Amino acid sequence: MQASINLPADPQLQYLLRIGDTCLILGQRLGEWCGHAPILEEDIALANMALDLIGQARGVLTRAGDQCPQDYDEDQLAFLREERDYFNPTMAELPRGDFAFTVLRNLMLSTWLKLLWERLQDSSDTEIAAIAGKALKEARYHQQHAADWLVRLGDGTEASRRRVEAALATLWPYAAELFAADAVDAAAEAAGLGPSVAALREPWLAEISAVFAEVHLPVPAEGRFRSTGRQGVHSEHMGFILAEMQHLQRAYPGGAW
Amino acid sequence: MSTNTEWPLWEVFVRTKAGLDHKHCGSLHAADPKMALQMARDVYTRRQEGSSVWVVRSDQIVASDPGDKGMLFDPAEDKVYRHPTFYKLPDAVDHM
């Protein structure tokens, strides 16, 4: 059994892990569709997007590992942390749900990531800026893919509309966390590493509202619930997804294929 | 015959790089043009095969009748002079 690694307390490291973990966990959730999507072509599309996200996670986690005194590599960071040391927003870890849920979550998170990558192109960390340049193209495609499907489902049959509305009711409360800036954001902003997530809120709402408007889907009001994944405090689903992801590296340390 | 619950069929053409022609590479079912294009991209260009994709509704393609194959194509068989193989090309001319 491989022991967990310890992370130094470093706001800039946490900033990078928040981004890398969002890609890693969402990528894992999308990968769950492999062999289960409604049609063959979508199966391939979802797996393609999962692989884009895993690729982004690899780049960002490698960079994050460079900043640890122990010089962790991407695999150690991906597979050997305790749950409390993962910093993805809770929305990314929620179970994959039905296709409408996956489409809506992809729309919300790919729009968020796209806005983030756009700004990270100007990062003071040139390696992060380069990763952002590549990831931005992928995120733009993910956003368009999700938006097209949301319009199709929202405008489709009674059943597809009902599923979109149910997905929205479940997911929307988790959106507020995406823009809840804290000391980690402030440190990253001050260092020129990347933007505070607070800056993403307005453009995100504008882009999401534009897609919703196409199918007359009202943008829900913001409630009082706040998820806390970006602080390392996760939903009950996180332990299960980590167990699945970590099992091999824990049981066969350093195993490769 | 397709039933009305089945999405229409689309033919997919991919251009590998600028300057080359779009080549037919397969077909897929999709509900609308956007979806057809998205799926063509995801299914047929995963290994950097493409720089441009066309999709065309299969029922929009006018095809020759296989039964007319002899009438249409066999008469060209003995007209070997139509091939420009009797000319010597200068070395500077590539890709002919």
Side-chain angles (χ1 to χ4, degrees):
Chain A
M1 178 78 182
Q2 180 81 326
S4 299
I5 59 172
N6 293 310
L7 291 183
D10 171 358
Q12 293 195 44
L13 172 66
Q14 192 175 343
Y15 184 85
L16 291 182
L17 289 174
R18 284 175 173 180
I19 300 165
D21 290 346
T22 306
C23 300
L24 179 72
I25 300 297
L26 182 61
Q28 177 76 13
R29 281 293 184 223
L30 281 184
E32 291 175 12
W33 279 100
C34 196
H36 299 278
I39 51 170
L40 173 74
E41 289 84 355
E42 272 311 311
D43 207 280
I44 297 173
L46 292 170
N48 282 353
M49 289 191 282
L51 288 171
D52 287 345
L53 288 162
I54 299 296
Q56 294 160 10
R58 291 185 62 184
V60 176
L61 291 184
T62 298
R63 193 69 190 125
D66 292 344
Q67 305 191 2
C68 301
Q70 302 88 339
D71 203 23
Y72 295 128
D73 66 24
E74 49 179 308
D75 286 337
Q76 288 174 297
L77 282 174
F79 300 122
L80 297 179
R81 276 179 285 161
E82 295 286 334
E83 180 179 325
R84 290 292 287 259
D85 286 337
Y86 286 81
F87 301 109
N88 55 282
T90 304
M91 186 189 286
E93 78 211 29
L94 298 176
R96 73 169 197 261
D98 61 11
F99 188 64
F101 184 93
T102 277
V103 161
L104 182 59
R105 170 166 56 188
N106 281 358
L107 177 66
M108 292 165 86
L109 285 180
S110 63
T111 302
W112 187 74
L113 284 168
K114 187 199 79 169
L115 294 166
L116 191 55
W117 295 127
E118 276 173 4
R119 286 154 180 79
L120 285 171
Q121 290 184 109
D122 302 322
S123 173
S124 56
D125 183 327
T126 53
E127 203 164 311
I128 291 297
I131 294 168
K134 178 175 183 293
L136 177 58
K137 295 180 195 170
E138 295 167 342
R140 282 184 57 209
Y141 183 75
H142 300 180
Q143 182 191 30
Q144 195 190 324
H145 174 271
D148 287 350
W149 268 110
L150 189 84
V151 169
R152 241 173 245 129
L153 297 176
D155 225 3
T157 63
E158 216 174 281
S160 69
R161 175 77 185 194
R162 191 175 61 240
R163 284 170 185 260
V164 166
E165 287 173 356
L168 182 59
T170 307
L171 280 165
W172 194 257
Y174 294 92
E177 186 197 352
L178 300 176
F179 313 104
D182 59 11
V184 169
D185 290 276
E189 199 175 25
L193 177 60
S196 163
V197 288
L200 308 179
R201 188 169 185 275
E202 262 184 52
W204 184 87
L205 262 181
E207 293 190 23
I208 294 290
S209 306
V211 179
F212 283 11
E214 279 192 62
V215 285
H216 308 292
L217 200 62
V219 176
E222 193 174 301
R224 301 182 62 160
F225 171 76
R226 289 291 179 278
S227 52
T228 50
R230 294 171 71 250
Q231 314 292 333
V233 182
H234 293 279
S235 70
E236 68 272 28
H237 309 292
M238 190 66 174
F240 293 97
I241 191 172
L242 287 181
E244 191 167 310
M245 291 170 62
Q246 296 191 346
H247 166 257
L248 272 178
Q249 278 300 320
R250 297 280 189 178
Y252 303 97
W257 62 291
Chain B
M1 283 295 283
S2 63
T3 67
N4 59 5
T5 58
E6 200 168 67
W7 291 341
L9 191 65
W10 303 73
E11 301 300 322
V12 179
F13 300 82
V14 172
R15 176 160 74 186
T16 50
K17 55 182 175 183
L20 297 182
D21 48 357
H22 285 75
K23 280 209 164 51
H24 184 244
C25 62
S27 58
L28 50 80
H29 288 277
D32 56 55
K34 266 178 151 179
M35 192 198 288
L37 207 52
Q38 174 244 304
M39 287 174 170
R41 179 264 186 193
D42 280 319
V43 175
Y44 291 108
T45 68
R46 299 168 68 234
R47 300 180 183 89
Q48 291 190 297
E49 294 95 333
S51 65
S52 166
V53 178
W54 288 349
V55 289
V56 180
R57 278 278 294 258
S58 306
D59 59 12
Q60 295 295 307
I61 289 179
V62 183
S64 62
D65 184 342
D68 290 343
K69 190 164 158 274
M71 169 185 87
L72 293 174
F73 308 115
D74 287 352
E77 204 173 57
D78 59 352
K79 296 174 179 77
V80 62
Y81 46 83
R82 288 179 180 166
H83 292 276
T85 51
F86 305 104
Y87 307 95
K88 185 145 175 55
L89 284 178
D91 291 339
V93 180
D94 290 331
H95 308 303
M96 281 290 282

